[in-house]
Amino acid sequence: MKAKLAVVAGLALALSGGMAANFAHGAGAPASSSAPAAAIFAGGCFWSMEAAFEKLPGVISAESGYTGGQTANPSYEEVSSGRTGHAEAVRVRFDPAKVSYPQLVDYFWHHIDPTVKDQQFCDHGPQYRTGIYFGDEAQRKEAEASRDALLKSGRFAQIRTEIVAAGPFYPAEEYHQDFVKKNPLRYEAYRIGCGRDARLAQVWGTK
């Protein structure tokens, strides 16, 4: 936590000068516009993943939080220590009539580096691992099929993103929610300093 905030504070200064909730709530909902569904992804910094998913048509909301650990109702400081087993994650609520789960998974891949373990860009530790946390058998099959297609394509020799059943999802503190909207300058400083876009361009061949 201190390292991340130090990067943010330092670069922001330079730029300015120039439920505890379980995933099952909403998961596995019928594919209709009147019944939103849910999906959980971990892609490193949850600020970045929340902002990315909220741009995707069909997504109703994206919420920053913690999943995959052993401690109930963990704090950001506890998760940042790497000792709770949680990953920074986002819970995405979406309208299946407008965007499908496989489309969400494909979108997710293009916003992470799936080739590394327990890190994303400048952030290191198990809390920054990547993961797809499926809510039912259909999501498991679709996530695994997407991963297998990527491997078959030859783009990656290996993919280190875990695909496991979803457990409890704990929303992060309020100051983390919509961080990009609340703190655009600080977030821009963090994203530039972390090299996220530069690495994504290398991994996916995009600008």
Side-chain angles (χ1 to χ4, degrees), residues 70-168:
Q70 299 83 43
T71 304
N73 299 306
S75 68
Y76 181 62
E77 289 74 16
E78 290 172 326
V79 173
S80 295
S81 74
R83 294 191 294 269
T84 70
H86 291 89
E88 288 195 11
V90 291
R91 178 169 54 187
V92 179
R93 296 196 184 281
F94 64 101
D95 182 347
K98 297 179 180 178
V99 61
S100 68
Y101 184 74
Q103 288 174 318
L104 289 177
V105 173
D106 183 68
Y107 187 79
F108 164 73
W109 290 126
H110 286 81
H111 286 81
I112 67 165
D113 176 356
T115 68
V116 293
K117 179 178 175 62
D118 291 342
Q119 69 179 81
Q120 279 295 283
F121 317 104
C122 70
D123 294 317
H124 295 255
Q127 67 271 33
Y128 295 113
R129 68 186 182 272
T130 60
I132 300 174
Y133 303 95
F134 57 85
D136 56 27
E137 186 64 8
Q139 287 190 353
R140 181 190 69 78
K141 290 180 178 179
E142 289 162 345
E144 291 181 349
S146 181
R147 176 200 59 199
D148 294 347
L150 273 180
L151 288 170
K152 187 176 180 180
S153 74
R155 178 181 287 274
F156 305 116
Q158 62 178 358
I159 288 177
R160 308 298 293 273
T161 300
E162 63 182 11
I163 299 177
V164 297

Side-chain angles (χ1 to χ4, degrees), residues 47 50 175-184 186-187:
W47 299 340
E50 179 188 284
Y175 71 91
H176 284 301
Q177 307 300 335
D178 291 316
F179 187 88
V180 178
K181 297 176 183 176
K182 296 173 182 175
N183 303 278
R186 291 180 64 195
Y187 176 71

